[in-house]
Amino acid sequence: MRIFFFSFLWFSLPCYAADVLDDYLVVLAESAESLPFTATRGERIWYRQADGRSCTSCHMDSPKGKGRHQKTGKVIEAMAPSINSLRLTELKKMKKWLLRNCKWTFGRECTAQEKGDVLVWLRSQ
Amino acid sequence: MTLIQKMTGWGLFLPILVFAFYGVVQEVQAGNFRYIRDQTYIEECGACHFAYPPQLLPPLTWTAIMAGLDEHFGENAELDAETSTQILQYLHIHGLGVAPASRMSKMMRNIPDEPPLRITEFPAFKDAHAVVAEQLELTALEAGFLSPCADCHRLANSGIFDKELLHPGYGPANWGGTKSE
């Protein structure tokens, strides 16, 4: 009996993870102009260059590969959930890194539209 | 097993225990076991760089660093107020000079009234690392060369920086290729 209970918990983990992102996307959608969020736009944001900076400066070309912090050299684990199942599962982390990294890369906060598009694209990776 | 064999066995084993215990006591007294780790600190700060043990900088410097996280040596490292307060509190409690004297107290030497923000700019740090370039047969060290402590100090993650505990044949393990984590 116990094994069913635990396997239920275990297999329900991914559903729970998806829920966190889905909930966040619903919140972002409230202030987005063009719905639904699309992976195509998200991908464009990932590669968008701004004064020589882009997401790829540290995350490298593919979100499926490891990145490296441009300045400190520290390894950044892959962003793609297919490679790294911990990605996009924690609301606090998503908010924190989107805030910081948009400001560093583009010199401003990202709009809800941009955040949603990028998250949808990343989820597909 | 004869009695003599048993006696010899214990005779060899007991001194080892005694010396081990003595060693542990010595280390504790030297402050080597005082590095209290904080998971939040390691997670938040260690995400981008080596999580420098708080005992490397005085609380005054930690305050300044935490106050300027949105411009953290050219990077945005903003934290929400709650996390930031929690980390600052940890850094204050375990910062340099507040805890009982430790081997790290050397970092206090010749500290200016307004201490620099970078660990690598402390006079004591510079003194301790003045020979590094020569030893590695380099004319000058690249900017940031000395920042990933654990490249050379193999127990840096435990807050131990003793000269005797450097990586064998030290020098950043894989410098020129990839920097270590």
Side-chain angles (χ1 to χ4, degrees), chain A residues 1-111:
Chain A
M1 193 59 215
R2 208 183 300 168
I3 189 135
F4 288 113
F5 179 65
F6 282 117
S7 48
F8 171 74
L9 275 184
W10 179 250
F11 289 116
S12 65
L13 265 178
C15 317
Y16 176 67
D19 276 350
V20 175
L21 180 52
D22 282 338
D23 290 351
Y24 186 34
L25 286 174
V26 169
V27 176
L28 288 172
E30 282 169 18
S31 19
E33 304 92 45
S34 155
L35 293 171
F37 294 121
T38 70
T40 329
R41 281 195 300 254
E43 183 177 16
R44 240 179 283 142
I45 294 169
W46 179 266
Y47 293 107
R48 188 201 292 157
Q49 295 286 330
D51 282 332
R53 292 178 174 186
S54 74
C55 302
T56 59
S57 306
C58 296
H59 291 292
M60 303 294 145
D61 236 30
S62 164
K64 289 182 180 168
K66 286 188 182 185
R68 179 169 304 130
H69 194 284
Q70 198 184 41
K71 198 157 174 188
T72 67
K74 193 168 163 85
V75 171
I76 304 167
E77 296 301 328
M79 289 304 298
S82 65
I83 307 288
N84 184 352
S85 57
L86 292 174
R87 291 302 189 200
L88 315 183
T89 57
E90 249 184 82
L91 181 63
K92 209 177 157 189
K93 275 196 178 169
M94 286 192 274
K95 282 185 169 174
K96 179 180 79 179
W97 288 106
L98 280 171
L99 173 73
R100 283 181 176 182
N101 292 351
C102 282
K103 281 192 178 175
W104 183 84
T105 316
F106 305 123
R108 60 170 174 82
E109 278 190 47
C110 286
T111 61

Side-chain angles (χ1 to χ4, degrees), chain B residues 73-169:
Chain B
F73 305 114
E75 310 283 321
N76 185 304
E78 275 174 72
L79 281 173
D80 60 89
E82 188 195 339
T83 316
S84 165
T85 314
Q86 192 191 337
I87 289 179
L88 186 58
Q89 201 173 14
Y90 163 71
L91 293 170
H92 272 189
I93 294 173
H94 300 288
L96 176 65
V98 174
S102 71
R103 289 195 185 173
M104 214 47 75
S105 307
K106 288 178 198 164
M107 280 293 278
M108 294 292 277
R109 275 186 206 156
N110 303 324
I111 248 178
D113 289 339
E114 262 190 47
L117 289 185
R118 290 179 190 275
I119 296 163
T120 47
E121 283 168 12
F122 275 65
F125 180 96
K126 284 188 180 168
D127 283 351
H129 296 82
V131 293
V132 173
E134 194 189 328
Q135 278 170 336
L136 295 175
E137 297 173 356
L138 296 166
T139 40
L141 298 180
E142 242 177 88
F145 189 90
L146 294 171
S147 306
C149 307
D151 271 12
C152 295
H153 295 276
R154 62 192 151 108
L155 292 182
N157 282 317
S158 310
I160 296 172
F161 294 90
D162 293 30
K163 228 187 258 175
E164 311 81 67
L165 294 171
L166 289 162
H167 278 295

Side-chain angles (χ1 to χ4, degrees), chain B residues 25-44:
Chain B
V25 170
Q26 282 265 302
E27 288 291 282
V28 170
Q29 281 182 341
N32 279 348
F33 288 168
R34 287 220 187 86
Y35 177 32
I36 316 284
R37 270 184 265 200
D38 179 85
Q39 207 44 48
T40 311
Y41 176 69
I42 292 179
E43 230 167 74
E44 296 295 343

